[in-house]
Amino acid sequence: QVQLVESGGGLVQAGGSLRLSCVVSGTIFSARDVGWYRQTPGKQREFIAGIEVAGDPYYIGSVKGRFTISRDNAKNALYLQMTSLKPEDTAVYYCNRYRRVPLWDWGQGTQVTVSS
């Protein structure tokens, strides 16, 4: 069974930065396209960034240029470097598969709060 453990969230002022981490176990991480998602209360979880096995990244428009996704296959880890944070980035952030279904069971996520 795949387990996802996200960390690195916190409270930051607008314009600040955070680096999120996700450790993936129970699967061959290096052979998986993986990505980051986020969810705010009352809204559906949305995909925001993905990285393919070969390392090619993809971002949705609202985070492109501000967020950078990366992976360390030796550590089974996925990262999201977030800069120029905005209050609208406030959400619980999750990692999971990218471009493949079914998704894995969700982890607990990590809360990011951006104050104005």
Side-chain angles (χ1 to χ4, degrees), residues 80-94:
L80 188 68
Q81 179 68 49
M82 306 188 294
T83 63
S84 301
L85 282 162
K86 305 175 181 180
E88 51 263 43
D89 294 318
T90 295
V92 180
Y93 285 69
Y94 303 85

Side-chain angles (χ1 to χ4, degrees), residues 46-83:
E46 67 168 343
F47 165 81
I48 59 170
I51 186 165
E52 299 178 5
V53 168
D56 295 325
Y58 176 82
Y59 305 93
I60 63 170
S62 60
V63 307
K64 194 171 186 179
R66 300 188 299 122
F67 292 7
T68 302
I69 189 170
S70 62
R71 64 191 299 163
D72 185 338
N73 291 334
K75 296 181 178 179
N76 287 356
L78 177 68
Y79 304 103
L80 188 68
Q81 179 68 49
M82 306 188 294
T83 63

Side-chain angles (χ1 to χ4, degrees), residues 38-52:
R38 67 186 179 188
Q39 186 172 28
T40 55
K43 292 188 177 181
Q44 283 195 333
R45 202 166 328 205
E46 67 168 343
F47 165 81
I48 59 170
I51 186 165
E52 299 178 5

Side-chain angles (χ1 to χ4, degrees), residues 5-62:
V5 180
E6 301 93 347
S7 62
L11 173 63
V12 63
Q13 288 189 330
S17 301
L18 281 174
R19 186 190 192 217
L20 307 184
S21 300
C22 170
V23 176
V24 181
S25 60
T27 188
I28 304 173
F29 178 75
S30 60
R32 305 288 179 249
D33 298 334
V34 285
W36 286 97
Y37 301 72
R38 67 186 179 188
Q39 186 172 28
T40 55
K43 292 188 177 181
Q44 283 195 333
R45 202 166 328 205
E46 67 168 343
F47 165 81
I48 59 170
I51 186 165
E52 299 178 5
V53 168
D56 295 325
Y58 176 82
Y59 305 93
I60 63 170
S62 60

